[in-house]
Amino acid sequence: MCFATFENYSTIHKCRSTRGGGVAIMIRNDLDFQIIGNITDDEAIEIIGAKIYINNKIIAIYSYYNAPNSLINIELIQKIFDDNENTILCGDLNAITRSTHRNKNGHALMNLLASSNIISLNQHNEPTYFCNRNEYAEELDYILTDNLLAPLNNDFIVDLEDLTSDHI
C-alpha cells in the first residue's frame, strides 16, 4: 500500500509505479461518494477524482500531480471545471507563480486563472514546498475551485507543526 489509512476515512488513490507516492483523496466515511473514471487517457498524468454528495449537492474533487519537468495540462484542468459544477482541484502542479521566478507552468496557470472562472484559494507568495537542505521554499501546491465554491472555502489553514513532508 502506498498511502496511509486513517480511522473513519475512505481513501481512493493511484499509486506511482516509480519512486514516490502518487495521488490520493480521503473522504469521511459518513459521506457518499462515487469515483470519477476516465478523467484522461494519458497514463502519464497522475490524477484521480471523486463526486461527493453533501447536503443535496455534488462536489467534484480531484487530486492532480504534475511532475517537475512536465508541462501542466491546462486543457485537462479547464475540461474538469467545464464538465462539473462545484469543483475543487488540489495538487502539486509544480507551477511557480511568483513573478520573479515564474516557470512555464506558472505562466500557464496564471493565464488560466485570468481567463476563466477558476479561482486559486492559495495565499499567493506563501510557500507550500520547503527544502531544509538549502533553505529553498516555493509555492508549488494549489487548491483551485470554481466561483460557486470559492466563497465557502475562504478560511482554511495548514498546520506547519505537523508537516511530515516537504510539501504541505
Side-chain angles (χ1 to χ4, degrees):
M1 178 168 39
C2 60
F3 289 98
T5 58
F6 293 89
E7 188 175 338
N8 300 319
Y9 284 84
S10 297
T11 303
I12 60 171
H13 59 272
K14 179 179 178 182
C15 295
R16 191 174 305 143
S17 60
T18 60
R19 188 177 81 91
V23 290
I25 298 172
M26 300 185 78
I27 304 166
R28 277 193 347 233
N29 285 341
D30 63 333
L31 297 174
D32 292 326
F33 71 93
Q34 176 183 7
I35 296 172
I36 300 170
N38 300 324
I39 299 169
T40 179
D41 293 332
D42 187 344
E43 288 295 319
I45 295 177
E46 294 183 48
I47 189 165
I48 57 169
K51 290 187 178 183
I52 304 172
Y53 304 93
I54 304 174
N55 299 331
N56 298 319
K57 289 189 186 250
I58 300 172
I59 297 176
I61 185 164
Y62 293 83
S63 178
Y64 178 21
Y65 172 73
N66 186 67
N69 296 320
S70 297
L71 289 177
I72 191 171
N73 192 323
I74 292 297
E75 293 80 19
L76 176 62
I77 294 172
Q78 185 66 63
K79 181 179 180 336
I80 285 169
F81 280 89
D82 288 346
D83 290 352
N84 300 282
E85 284 188 354
N86 302 316
T87 303
I88 300 170
L89 184 141
C90 311
D92 177 356
L93 303 182
N94 279 296
I96 300 172
T97 56
R98 290 186 302 155
S99 59
T100 56
H101 296 93
R102 194 170 291 169
N103 65 4
K104 288 181 183 180
N105 288 331
H107 283 288
L109 180 60
M110 295 306 286
N111 288 338
L112 175 67
L113 296 176
S115 65
S116 69
N117 290 327
I118 301 171
I119 297 165
S120 172
L121 296 181
N122 291 50
Q123 303 296 319
H124 287 289
N125 294 320
E126 288 292 323
T128 62
Y129 168 79
F130 302 89
C131 181
N132 291 329
R133 185 181 45 212
N134 60 7
E135 297 184 11
Y136 174 74
E138 195 60 75
E139 182 181 28
L140 302 176
D141 308 282
Y142 293 85
I143 301 173
L144 307 178
T145 189
D146 55 41
N147 58 0
L148 298 173
L149 285 179
L152 304 175
N153 293 293
N154 61 1
D155 188 27
F156 69 92
I157 62 167
V158 176
D159 186 354
L160 296 178
E161 291 182 20
D162 291 336
L163 189 63
T164 58
S165 170
D166 56 358
H167 289 264
I168 56 174

